[in-house]
Amino acid sequence: MTAPAPDPAPDLFTWEFAADPYPAYAWLREHEPVRRTRLPSGVEAWLVTRYGDAKQALADPRLSKNPAHHDEPAHAKGKTGIPGERKAELMTHLLNIDPPDHTRLRRLVSKAFTPRRVAEFAPRVRELTDRLIDGFAERGEADLIHEFAFPLPIYAICDLLGVPPEDQDDFRDWAGMMIRHGGGPRGGGARSVKKMRGYLAELIHRKREALPAEAGPGEDLISGLIRASDHGEHLTENEAAAMAFILLFAGFETTVNLIGNGTYALLTHPGQRARLQESLAAGERGLLETGVEELLRYDGPVELATWRFATEPVAIGGQHIAPGDPVLVVLAAADRDPERFAEPDTLDLARRDNQHLGYGHGIHYCLGAPLARLEGQTALAGLLTRLPDLRLAVDESELRWRGGLIMRGLRTLPVEFTPTGR
């Protein structure tokens, strides 16, 4: 007896898919776990959806991060990265390079994200969290994306990089244009990248001119990058600008989505949210810590890992990938694989066996993960503690998700609550 034909393959990259991609990913995991797909940009790539295959691909040195290995004509290469980064000469960053350059650059910036440095930054993140909540607490309503989830990581990463306070609002405007994904004027994202590149070059120059002979306590990251380049590490100005740019870009959009998606998940799972509020009221942090990991797994901020390109023939999940082919690991699908996670479509903030791939795996594991976790934990704890009856102000069906291939995040998150004083 022949097996029944599977349901038809789902449509990918539609607005309906953006709202809830998980049923489509479940179909792919079962029927076509490694599938060649034409993306909205016209580029063809392999989508990897099972956890085991995903983990293998993320750590496979034959899958390069360097777009030079893409077999498409040159005009298509601009469709496989951050809009505008090529024209702005910002390609030399951790998401686009392989060892040994990747090893060298990652070592230089890893000092900024040590557990000790992140712990020292915790009071500043709490201060920012409280200040932003103060801005809308008395109104009884807010858009948590634009008024909270977006500005919090922008100001935090600007502080870490050493962007002066008087310039941080410019960064906020440029960053907003970069993540609108079609919601702003045509070419606005690329123009914002170019403006940011010019500003970073100027800031690096100013900081190099004023750099003291010895590093002081809590020296900002850009000064640290300059100091390293001036001590035999051969970090060029272009490399320093590209590193600062990608730390800003990767360091804020992921956290915007972690806070936004995480808050939305809690608001739509009242039992789990109540457990977390009770735990916080008792002065405990254990459920908050495991809860943020579960939110990263359940509906994380990065839907697809950034681009990889085969440098030689590679077999993944029984499929043969040719040299030059792009490979996209679907983190959102892998993190709901029932072969790896029990009841993967259930949100369980107390989940212990949770080796999710939300921040990647292997040598490209997210450098800023400790800071993002700190910001996510602090933001959610602040909201749930200070606004205990927080609730959605619109029906779930009215919420819209931003377009785009790599990130997953809400455009807006309107909420209501009982107005409170500061």
Side-chain angles (χ1 to χ4, degrees), residues 23 38 55 61 104 143 194 196 227 234 240 290 326 337 347 352 384 392:
R38 181 174 292 276
K55 198 168 181 181
R104 175 175 65 91
D143 173 3
K194 187 175 181 180
M196 194 175 286
R227 195 177 296 283
H234 310 297
T290 60
D337 188 341
L347 181 69
R352 293 288 177 181
L384 295 179
L392 283 174

Side-chain angles (χ1 to χ4, degrees), residues 312-391:
E312 59 184 86
V314 180
I316 305 176
Q319 292 285 359
H320 295 283
I321 314 296
D325 279 2
V327 175
L328 290 168
V329 177
V330 188
L331 305 178
D335 279 342
R336 292 215 190 179
D337 188 341
E339 293 295 314
R340 176 59 185 83
F341 300 100
E343 299 184 39
D345 295 321
T346 298
L347 181 69
D348 177 7
L349 299 184
R351 190 184 295 268
R352 293 288 177 181
D353 180 18
N354 197 359
Q355 297 297 312
H356 63 77
L357 301 176
Y359 284 126
H361 174 67
I363 64 169
H364 291 283
Y365 183 83
C366 177
L367 191 66
L371 178 62
R373 287 185 168 102
L374 168 67
E375 291 173 339
Q377 292 173 14
T378 306
L380 293 173
L383 286 174
L384 295 179
T385 302
R386 294 192 55 186
L387 309 174
D389 63 346
L390 190 70
R391 57 195 177 272

Side-chain angles (χ1 to χ4, degrees), residues 123-187:
R124 176 59 176 155
V125 175
R126 286 194 295 271
E127 177 189 334
L128 286 169
T129 297
D130 282 333
R131 189 184 83 196
L132 291 168
I133 294 175
D134 286 345
F136 53 77
E138 296 177 351
R139 289 208 322 263
E141 61 178 13
D143 173 3
L144 286 186
I145 300 299
H146 292 281
E147 296 182 77
F148 186 67
F150 179 74
L152 174 59
I154 276 287
Y155 292 138
I157 201 71
C158 279
D159 282 354
L160 200 63
L161 287 170
V163 176
E166 62 269 21
D167 296 340
Q168 292 186 6
D169 283 337
D170 286 337
F171 260 73
R172 179 176 173 171
D173 292 343
W174 297 332
M177 287 301 300
M178 286 163 56
I179 71 169
R180 281 179 186 166
H181 301 309
R186 185 175 179 83

Side-chain angles (χ1 to χ4, degrees), residues 142-283:
D143 173 3
L144 286 186
I145 300 299
H146 292 281
E147 296 182 77
F148 186 67
F150 179 74
L152 174 59
I154 276 287
Y155 292 138
I157 201 71
C158 279
D159 282 354
L160 200 63
L161 287 170
V163 176
E166 62 269 21
D167 296 340
Q168 292 186 6
D169 283 337
D170 286 337
F171 260 73
R172 179 176 173 171
D173 292 343
W174 297 332
M177 287 301 300
M178 286 163 56
I179 71 169
R180 281 179 186 166
H181 301 309
R186 185 175 179 83
R191 284 195 296 273
S192 293
V193 169
K194 187 175 181 180
K195 289 178 182 177
M196 194 175 286
R197 170 67 174 91
Y199 174 82
L200 287 171
E202 179 189 340
L203 182 62
I204 289 167
H205 178 74
R206 290 205 315 261
K207 285 183 178 289
R208 177 173 274 125
E209 292 289 308
L211 197 68
E214 299 292 332
E219 182 175 70
D220 66 73
L221 179 54
I222 289 179
S223 295
L225 291 173
I226 296 167
R227 195 177 296 283
S229 69
D230 288 342
H231 284 75
E233 289 283 359
H234 310 297
L235 190 70
T236 68
E237 185 167 298
N238 264 0
E239 286 176 334
M243 288 299 304
F245 165 73
I246 200 59
L247 289 170
L248 176 81
F249 185 82
F252 86 87
E253 189 172 6
T254 52
T255 309
V256 173
N257 295 346
L258 168 58
I259 296 169
N261 299 4
T263 303
Y264 173 61
L266 292 173
L267 294 180
T268 52
H269 293 79
Q272 292 291 309
R273 175 251 191 93
R275 287 180 64 192
L276 181 53
Q277 285 181 301
E278 290 168 8
S279 173
L280 291 170

Side-chain angles (χ1 to χ4, degrees), residues 403-419:
L405 190 64
I406 302 298
M407 300 292 184
R408 173 164 172 78
L410 287 161
R411 290 179 179 270
T412 61
L413 185 57
V415 294
E416 307 174 318
F417 47 86
T418 300

